[in-house]
């Protein structure tokens, strides 16, 4: 079984829809992350959870709402998105609890298109 | 603030050629970690290597090797005898004591027959 899984792999949604992205890690890690990857831009860290507690929120608009019910699952709830939110959303996990010194393991991403 | 620069946007090589991907970083931290990740067309980033700021030994893993030089703030990645399966986007990343993980913009490597 792969270490980090994400569903769905592809998602097309209108600007008024509400949807959720799901991430699950099977590595026994303590920290989980959401990243946004847009064309020609560096990876943007959105949220960090450590032991189910949100430890970082990088000025992400409130139309993105993360949820971490336990150390293995991470969700990103989406509502009233904008076309510029179209991107690849990557989930990652790591052993790290408070910093970024451990390597992160990534899922395959969800390709989101907002119409 | 910290920064990672991957000046090579795209590189094309013919199979079996050696290729070096450059990474230059900036940080004020004395303790930091450097990483390389590979992103194949399937999308997920694959961890390749982690190096801490106190370990300047070069590393070799099969056809992959890494050259870390603090004097020039560089952490370059060389693929020897490249193969088509090496085609991907490669990211260099930096994490400092006080700063979160910062990725470079990536270098797209295309290996052709």
């Amino acid at each position: 079984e792969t270490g980090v899984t994400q569903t769905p792999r592809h998602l097309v949604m209108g600007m008024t829809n509400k949807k959720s992205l799901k991430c699950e890690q099977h590595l026994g890690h303590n920290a989980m992350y959401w990243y946004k990857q847009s064309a020609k831009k560096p990876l943007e860290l959105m949220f960090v959870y450590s032991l189910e507690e949100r430890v970082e929120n990088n000025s992400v608009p409130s139309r993105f709402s993360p949820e971490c019910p336990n150390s293995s699952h991470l969700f990103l709830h989406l509502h009233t998105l904008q076309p510029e939110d179209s991107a690849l959303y990557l989930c990652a996990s790591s052993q790290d609890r408070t910093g970024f010194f451990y390597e992160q393991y990534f899922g395959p991403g969800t390709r989101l298109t907002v119409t | 603030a910290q920064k990672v620069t991957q000046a090579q946007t795209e590189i094309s090589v013919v199979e079996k050629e050696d290729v070096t991907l450059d990474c230059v970083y900036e940080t004020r931290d004395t303790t930091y970690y450097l990483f390389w990740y590979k992103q194949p067309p399937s999308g997920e980033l694959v961890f390749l290597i982690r190096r801490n700021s106190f370990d300047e030994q070069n590393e070799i893993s099969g056809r992959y090797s890494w050259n870390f030089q603090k004097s020039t703030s560089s952490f370059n990645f060389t693929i020897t005898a490249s193969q088509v399966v090496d085609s991907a986007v490669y990211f260099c990343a930096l994490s400092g004591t006080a700063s979160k993980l910062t990725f470079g913009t990536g270098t797209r490597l295309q290996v052709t027959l």
Side-chain angles (χ1 to χ4, degrees):
Chain A
E1 190 171 14
T2 54
V4 181
T5 57
Q6 288 187 244
T7 54
R9 294 293 310 275
H10 300 272
L11 178 63
V12 179
M13 59 186 287
M15 290 193 284
T16 57
N17 291 159
K18 287 185 181 181
K19 296 284 184 185
S20 295
L21 310 185
K22 179 184 175 184
C23 175
E24 184 172 359
Q25 59 99 358
H26 310 276
L27 301 167
H29 287 164
N30 296 311
M32 295 187 78
Y33 311 79
W34 279 117
Y35 287 89
K36 176 183 179 182
Q37 186 177 31
S38 307
K40 311 219 187 263
K41 281 187 172 183
L43 260 72
E44 299 172 59
L45 179 64
M46 300 174 72
F47 300 104
V48 182
Y49 276 83
S50 177
L51 296 173
E52 300 134 53
E53 181 183 335
R54 191 191 309 181
V55 297
E56 186 134 354
N57 174 350
N58 279 351
S59 304
V60 179
S62 59
R63 56 186 184 270
F64 295 91
S65 174
E67 179 190 0
C68 187
N70 55 61
S71 59
S72 298
H73 293 86
L74 185 65
F75 295 89
L76 188 62
H77 303 299
L78 317 171
H79 65 97
T80 57
L81 294 190
Q82 305 296 312
E84 60 265 27
D85 297 323
S86 298
L88 181 67
Y89 289 85
L90 291 160
C91 173
S93 70
S94 74
Q95 288 179 272
D96 211 3
R97 292 186 183 185
T98 57
F100 292 79
F101 292 155
Y102 288 93
E103 59 272 21
Q104 296 181 19
Y105 291 84
F106 286 78
T110 295
R111 173 70 63 187
L112 173 67
T113 303
V114 181
T115 59
Chain B
Q2 58 185 31
K3 186 178 176 183
V4 175
T5 301
Q6 294 181 256
Q8 304 151 308
T9 307
E10 199 158 337
I11 301 175
S12 287
V13 299
V14 177
E15 203 176 40
K16 297 183 185 168
E17 284 184 5
D18 298 348
V19 58
T20 296
L21 310 181
D22 297 332
C23 173
V24 174
Y25 62 91
E26 295 174 30
T27 182
R28 292 182 180 170
D29 293 325
T30 53
T31 301
Y32 53 88
Y33 285 79
L34 292 159
F35 304 81
W36 275 96
Y37 288 86
K38 172 183 180 180
Q39 187 176 35
S42 53
E44 78 278 19
L45 274 76
V46 177
F47 165 73
L48 296 178
I49 189 171
R50 177 181 72 148
R51 173 68 71 210
N52 77 55
S53 51
F54 299 107
D55 181 3
E56 285 192 73
Q57 276 196 325
N58 291 334
E59 174 133 354
I60 298 174
S61 176
R63 295 184 296 106
Y64 295 172
S65 62
W66 291 269
N67 184 338
F68 175 30
Q69 292 197 341
K70 283 179 82 168
S71 60
T72 55
S73 297
S74 64
F75 187 42
N76 296 338
F77 173 31
T78 296
I79 301 175
T80 303
S82 59
Q83 299 176 2
V84 172
V85 293
D86 296 325
S87 298
V89 181
Y90 291 86
F91 291 93
C92 180
L94 163 69
S95 177
T97 319
S99 305
K100 55 182 171 279
L101 190 62
T102 300
F103 283 86
T105 50
T107 296
R108 181 177 299 278
L109 174 65
Q110 185 71 41
V111 182
T112 55
L113 292 170

